[in-house]
Amino acid sequence: MAEIGSDPQMICIGAIAGARGVRGEVRIKSFTETPDAIADYGTVVDESGQRSFSIRITGRGSGKALGMVFARLDGINDRDVAQALKGTRLYVPRSALPEPTGDEFYHADLVGVRADLVDGGTLGVIRQVHDFGAGTVLEVELELGGSVMVPFSRTAVPLVDLAGGRVVIDPPAGLLEPAEGEDNDGD
């Protein structure tokens, strides 16, 4: 059985960041526009599709925890069980989410899209969209092998053309240059 994370009809809307308190509450990093909205889409499932949870928001993060919500998950009443869920990604069917409007899109829509360079060449294909906390980054599998991480900003990605199946990338200076000490001549 394929994992849900590879199914384009399932959208990751958050990830469990760890336990909070001793009675099984969890901290969830919400990927929804409004963090509390993570509880609005009904039952969520883990990446394997084996576990499902209803989310009840109990609090909101602030400061460095902005975008984090505190929640109770049905059936989780123990800190150790809650902590064991750390890293679990939470998914809902795409049909549970509102359709994007105008120039909006879901990050999941970018996976598999061709990445062209602003000068007209092809860079590769977007394999993943990451957010490690300092902003969204596109992982692009290069046509010539390997991969590169591109900051997902209007400067570095001036055009997202989902109808055309591509994004245009204007790489920051040095992004596509070999790392210092890297062998360029194949020896």
Side-chain angles (χ1 to χ4, degrees), residues 129-155:
V129 180
H130 302 284
D131 187 343
F132 301 115
T136 306
V137 179
L138 303 178
E139 181 180 345
V140 178
E141 183 178 304
L142 302 173
E143 270 196 334
L144 302 173
S147 65
V148 65
M149 301 291 234
V150 178
F152 190 40
S153 65
R154 287 210 184 269
T155 302

Side-chain angles (χ1 to χ4, degrees), residues 50-86:
Q50 300 299 309
R51 294 190 73 174
S52 60
F53 307 100
S54 293
I55 298 173
R56 184 172 50 85
I57 304 296
T58 58
R60 288 144 202 83
S62 61
K64 288 185 179 182
L66 199 58
M68 189 83 62
V69 294
F70 310 125
R72 303 279 312 165
L73 304 178
D74 55 322
I76 307 300
N77 300 309
D78 175 84
R79 178 180 177 77
D80 293 335
V81 174
Q83 188 62 27
L85 292 172
K86 182 177 181 178

